[in-house]
Amino acid sequence: MLVNVSSHDLKVADRKHHLHPFTDHGNLGVEDRRVIAKADGVWLWDTDGNRIMDGMAGLWCVNVGHGRQEIVEAVRAQMSELSYYNTFFKTTHPPVIELSEMIAGLAPEHMNMVFYGGSGSDANDTVLRMVRTYWDIKGQPSKKTIISRKNAYHGSTVAGASLSGMSGMHKQGDLPIPGIVHIDQPYWFGEGMKTGMTEDEFGLWAARELDKAIEAIGEENVAAFIAEPIQGAGGVIIPPSTYWPEVKRILESRDILFVSDEVICGFGRTGEWFGADYFGTTPDLMAVAKGLTSGYLPMGAVIVSDKVADALHEKGAEFYHGYTYSGHPASCAAAIANLTILKREGIVERVREKTAPYFREQWLKLGDHPLVGEARMTGLLGALELVPDKNDLSLRFGNVGHVGMIARDHAFANGLVMRAVRDSLIISPPLVITEEETDHLVATALKTLDDALASVRAADLS
Ligand SMILES: Cc1ncc(COP(=O)(O)O)c(C=O)c1O
């Protein structure tokens, strides 16, 4: 363990030996990096002695907040009893059995089986293979194409990045793999406003892109539609209220599977257990990760409907798929303790009834700031769209992403983690954030906007 090493020396060692995910290493100087050494509740501490509010719950995952000793203790106890055994070859173990029963109890009634992995990305690899296998079993092997959306994020493995609709990711590694089609997203502020449609009309239009794609590909060739209830990494894109009801109507009229990617929305983020509950959709599969363990240990899973599980059970031959760490006992223990906390403390209900309505009320006030074109929030997922001219919302900053990054750096300097996506700032705090902490977060975001506006004006960026 590194003890008594200066903050600077830690950064130098990090620079020498650590390749960071999603990072431009050419632009990451030694002192640009922050070494986070400790966390508790909604707070982080770095090795330079700063206390920073974690407005992103780590990476949208620390739902119950940092530093829960109950989870640490559950993992310790599990590891001293059975630190590892696999779930291949007809074996299982008590924590994976307990967790599966728990998840089935929380998931929509028609979803009762769970397939485990180690992350959200590999959950979506499982999804891709499972939906295609399902249609093979059903005697419809031509049903292979998966419809996803532009600017979706479904992970960073080959399948995850292919299902994702991010062109920058596709350029690296010659993706997407064949058989994946991306339709337009329901992004009102970014794409809908300029069409001349109302927000509701745009929501219907974006939903009907699904129908058009099914028509163009041929229903007999379409395996599934995959979507995040609210796009997270794409910029907290909250669809118009007409979108999900229309998608649901289309899915009911078509013989394709629906995959709800609940990696961010699952386990309380919207104030319901799952985003599908919030929007009233009926998934055949749900990919989950993050909030399943609140990030205390890595774990992902696919929650499988009876319809798909029955096909695998009854007619399936072996499903040649799985990971060494599928259902890892220590991760199961972390998940059980985490879900126990969420239930016992009524955190999901509290988000729905108190935390999210209060947060939203404060957050939307930031929409009055001269730099903000739109403030939006659902559950505990929020965004601020930064614009050069509040009186003309069709205008955007020239060098996309530059102002977003300036604002994000100000947020950090002010002691708040927010994330920049293009020229927007996004937020996804731990679900346990109090009203007092919310006030602090919003006040810091306001100061950040003031600082960013001053930088924009000083550099004449508008
Ligand atoms: C909706 C969604 N799906 C999948 C993933 C990938 O999860 P992981 O980073 O655990 O592989 C993410 C990660 O942010 C996500 O937001």
Side-chain angles (χ1 to χ4, degrees):
M1 201 166 157
L2 291 167
V3 279
N4 293 330
V5 181
S6 76
S7 186
H8 175 73
D9 287 351
L10 282 171
K11 292 175 190 176
V12 170
D14 188 75
R15 164 82 184 81
K16 274 194 193 148
H17 302 296
H18 180 197
L19 281 172
H20 295 219
F22 281 95
T23 295
D24 174 354
H25 285 85
N27 272 326
L28 183 67
V30 168
E31 289 302 332
D32 293 335
R33 54 201 80 209
R34 240 170 222 281
V35 185
I36 304 296
K38 185 177 147 60
D40 190 36
V42 300
W43 296 101
L44 309 168
W45 284 265
D46 70 14
T47 48
D48 294 324
N50 298 302
R51 186 178 83 138
I52 309 152
M53 186 176 260
D54 186 4
M56 284 303 297
L59 262 181
W60 333 77
C61 55
V62 188
N63 288 7
V64 297
H66 297 276
R68 294 278 195 159
Q69 293 310 303
E70 184 176 340
I71 302 179
V72 178
E73 182 46 39
V75 170
R76 196 206 60 75
Q78 180 55 50
M79 290 194 80
S80 60
E81 184 73 18
L82 175 74
S83 54
Y84 175 74
Y85 200 71
N86 68 70
T87 50
F88 288 36
F89 316 132
K90 303 184 182 174
T91 61
T92 185
H93 51 70
V96 80
I97 297 167
E98 184 179 347
L99 177 60
S100 306
E101 199 173 55
M102 244 177 143
I103 293 174
L106 296 171
E109 239 178 84
H110 68 288
M111 308 189 84
N112 290 293
M113 300 289 282
V114 190
F115 190 102
Y116 293 96
S119 71
S121 297
D122 71 43
N124 283 322
D125 283 60
T126 299
V127 158
L128 184 134
R129 299 198 58 207
M130 198 180 274
V131 297
R132 290 180 174 171
T133 303
Y134 170 82
W135 288 115
D136 285 347
I137 291 170
K138 294 302 252 185
Q140 292 177 264
S142 69
K143 286 174 84 67
K144 290 276 186 277
T145 302
I146 301 176
I147 301 174
S148 181
R149 300 179 300 180
K150 293 173 189 163
N151 197 35
Y153 188 70
H154 297 296
S156 192
T157 51
V158 169
S162 294
L163 292 167
S164 297
M166 303 203 159
S167 51
M169 291 180 77
H170 289 167
K171 279 188 204 129
Q172 297 173 329
D174 301 322
L175 302 175
I177 55 172
I180 295 170
V181 169
H182 298 91
I183 59 172
D184 280 305
Q185 58 178 333
Y187 184 14
W188 166 246
F189 191 85
E191 295 174 2
M193 237 179 217
K194 60 188 172 207
T195 61
M197 291 183 242
T198 64
E199 187 169 354
D200 282 354
E201 286 165 353
F202 176 70
L204 289 176
W205 174 85
R208 288 173 190 159
E209 288 300 287
L210 172 61
D211 217 26
K212 278 191 228 152
I214 298 171
E215 219 32 58
I217 301 160
E219 192 171 332
E220 69 284 6
N221 299 318
V222 179
F225 173 54
I226 182 168
E228 303 154 81
I230 293 170
Q231 287 155 262
V236 181
I237 291 162
I238 302 168
S241 61
T242 48
Y243 182 77
W244 279 115
E246 183 66 0
V247 169
K248 190 171 151 70
R249 189 192 64 75
I250 292 164
L251 289 169
E252 278 163 6
S253 72
R254 300 287 196 171
D255 192 19
I256 68 170
L257 298 177
F258 171 50
V259 184
S260 190
D261 185 337
E262 301 272 350
V263 169
I264 286 177
C265 289
F267 304 104
R269 180 120 324 259
T270 61
E272 300 291 341
W273 279 94
F274 297 96
D277 300 329
Y278 185 87
F279 289 113
T281 57
T282 313
D284 296 293
L285 301 173
M286 297 199 293
V288 295
K290 298 189 188 278
L292 171 57
T293 59
S294 280
Y296 279 70
L297 281 179
M299 177 169 251
V302 180
I303 308 178
V304 181
S305 63
D306 299 342
K307 170 171 136 181
V308 174
D310 288 351
L312 292 171
H313 265 141
E314 283 164 22
K315 297 210 200 120
E318 181 169 345
F319 184 36
Y320 297 111
H321 179 67
Y323 310 103
T324 299
Y325 302 128
S326 288
H328 192 288
S331 299
C332 288
I336 293 165
N338 171 60
L339 297 180
T340 302
I341 292 171
L342 282 169
K343 288 207 283 190
R344 190 186 62 228
E345 297 184 6
I347 292 173
V348 180
E349 296 75 15
R350 196 165 75 227
V351 168
R352 180 174 61 233
E353 282 153 27
K354 288 206 165 107
T355 321
Y358 182 77
F359 203 120
R360 185 169 192 273
E361 198 186 329
Q362 310 312 313
W363 184 255
L364 295 194
K365 289 181 193 159
L366 297 172
D368 295 337
H369 192 276
L371 196 57
V372 177
E374 182 182 85
R376 56 177 179 267
M377 181 142 224
T378 290
L380 284 178
L381 283 170
L384 301 172
E385 296 274 1
L386 309 184
V387 291
D389 182 356
K390 206 178 173 62
N391 298 315
D392 183 352
L393 293 182
S394 68
L395 298 177
R396 296 290 180 270
F397 289 108
N399 181 5
V400 177
H402 184 53
V403 171
M405 200 46 73
I406 289 174
R408 195 205 82 115
D409 288 346
H410 280 300
F412 252 102
N414 289 330
L416 171 65
V417 180
M418 293 204 272
R419 180 160 154 184
V421 177
R422 297 175 299 279
D423 290 317
S424 67
L425 286 173
I426 60 179
I427 200 104
S428 164
L431 304 186
V432 293
I433 192 167
T434 63
E435 289 194 357
E436 206 182 338
E437 289 162 344
T438 300
D439 292 344
H440 178 88
L441 187 153
V442 173
T444 312
L446 182 59
K447 174 165 177 5
T448 296
L449 291 169
D450 288 342
D451 293 347
L453 183 60
S455 298
V456 165
R457 286 185 176 150
D460 201 13
L461 292 174
S462 50

